[in-house]
Amino acid sequence: MTVAERSSPRAAYDTLADDYDRLTAHHDYTLWVGHIDACLRQHGVGGRALLDVGCGTGRSTAAWRDAGYQVVGADVSVGMLSVARTRLPDVEFHHADLRQLPALGRFDVVSCLCDVVNSIAAIDLGVALEAVAARLRDDGLLVFDANTLHAYRAHFAGTEIAVDEADRLMIWRGGVREPFSAGETATLTIESFRRDPASTDAWSRSTSTQRQHHHPPTSVERAVAAAGLTLIDVYGQGFDAVPQRPLDEDRHTKALYIARRAAR
Ligand SMILES: C[S@@+](CC[C@H](N)C(=O)[O-])C[C@H]1O[C@@H](n2cnc3c(N)ncnc32)[C@H](O)[C@@H]1O
């Protein structure tokens, strides 16, 4: 199967790789994954083999491992994977696009955490979910989050200094202009300035430009069904990471979806 290259998450995340952990330092992955794990247990997760797709620098992978899962990671960005391999040297990581995942084995859980599916254009969402569903064992669970309308309107609309340190400055430039409607695409630019360790006056600058696609819940439901999965729960989450029902696209920052693969 051929998937057209409509945007380049790889380029965006390769550029951001060395700064990603600093940018997301305030995200408590132990808390977040702990809440999600509790949901998976409620739904009778059948084992502990987990594939973390869009694993990035391994922050989500490490949290899953600390929660007792045997983890394997995959990501399209070589730069992000390089950081992940340094973080978790004993974990198997694969360079792969989630829309064309190779045969990495079968897992009890496949996770895609922190905006991974928002890098996927609407037209490719079904292909992507089908590819990850193929990596699930019978009765295995797919869990993924997606940014809500509220997240784009509130957090992708302004410019702010995200990191302000003596040797590093990061600027978050959200490209969203009101009105931002369901299914639209948001552009985000993250600029990073780093002081050259060999000189007090020399700085380097890098710019990561991301295109994020909002996926309305009804589109996600259709794509999940088309991928041969059964949607078994949908939650909304805010900054406290507590899963709440029902999802409210105008209040929560993330939608959290859990789907089951039926026996083949
Ligand atoms: C916001 S980061 C999240 C990383 C990690 N899951 C975490 O929670 O820190 C999104 C990740 O998704 C990856 N990604 C985006 N599109 C992808 C694709 N088509 N296939 C595989 N990985 C992808 C990016 O390279 C990036 O590492």
Side-chain angles (χ1 to χ4, degrees), residues 5 8-14 16 20-21 24 27 29 32 52-61 64 74-78 80-81 87 95-101 111-120 128 145 210 212:
E5 195 59 41
S8 179
R10 175 179 173 167
Y13 281 99
D14 278 351
L16 190 60
Y20 180 83
D21 286 357
T24 61
H27 295 179
Y29 273 82
W32 192 26
D52 189 21
V53 179
C55 61
T57 60
R59 295 203 66 200
S60 48
T61 324
W64 284 120
D75 201 283
V76 77
S77 161
V78 172
M80 297 290 270
L81 282 173
R87 165 175 274 125
H95 180 221
D97 189 313
L98 77 91
R99 298 168 296 178
Q100 297 168 310
L101 272 183
S111 73
C112 300
L113 290 192
C114 198
D115 316 350
V116 177
V117 302
N118 295 113
S119 291
I120 303 291
D145 68 276
Q210 304 192 3
Q212 288 219 358

Side-chain angles (χ1 to χ4, degrees), residues 11-164:
Y13 281 99
D14 278 351
T15 305
L16 190 60
D18 288 341
D19 294 307
Y20 180 83
D21 286 357
R22 181 61 196 83
L23 186 69
T24 61
H26 56 291
H27 295 179
D28 185 339
Y29 273 82
T30 303
L31 178 76
W32 192 26
V33 163
H35 280 300
I36 299 172
D37 186 30
C39 297
L40 296 180
R41 287 169 189 268
Q42 273 173 19
H43 289 295
V45 61
R48 309 302 280 173
L50 182 144
L51 176 64
D52 189 21
V53 179
C55 61
T57 60
R59 295 203 66 200
S60 48
T61 324
W64 284 120
R65 192 177 71 161
D66 292 348
Y69 287 86
Q70 293 123 31
V71 292
V72 173
D75 201 283
V76 77
S77 161
V78 172
M80 297 290 270
L81 282 173
S82 168
V83 180
R85 288 185 173 118
T86 302
R87 165 175 274 125
L88 301 168
D90 52 339
V91 170
E92 186 183 318
F93 286 103
H94 298 268
H95 180 221
D97 189 313
L98 77 91
R99 298 168 296 178
Q100 297 168 310
L101 272 183
L104 303 173
R106 293 251 166 87
F107 298 84
D108 303 298
V109 179
V110 175
S111 73
C112 300
L113 290 192
C114 198
D115 316 350
V116 177
V117 302
N118 295 113
S119 291
I120 303 291
I123 196 167
D124 287 337
L125 187 61
V127 170
L129 294 184
E130 204 176 324
V132 294
R135 304 277 51 87
L136 285 169
R137 291 178 179 154
D138 289 353
D139 290 326
L141 299 177
L142 169 66
V143 59
F144 62 98
D145 68 276
N147 282 334
T148 58
L149 273 178
H150 173 62
Y152 288 113
R153 288 172 179 160
H155 304 298
F156 285 70
T159 295
E160 65 177 79
I161 295 178
V163 174
D164 188 356

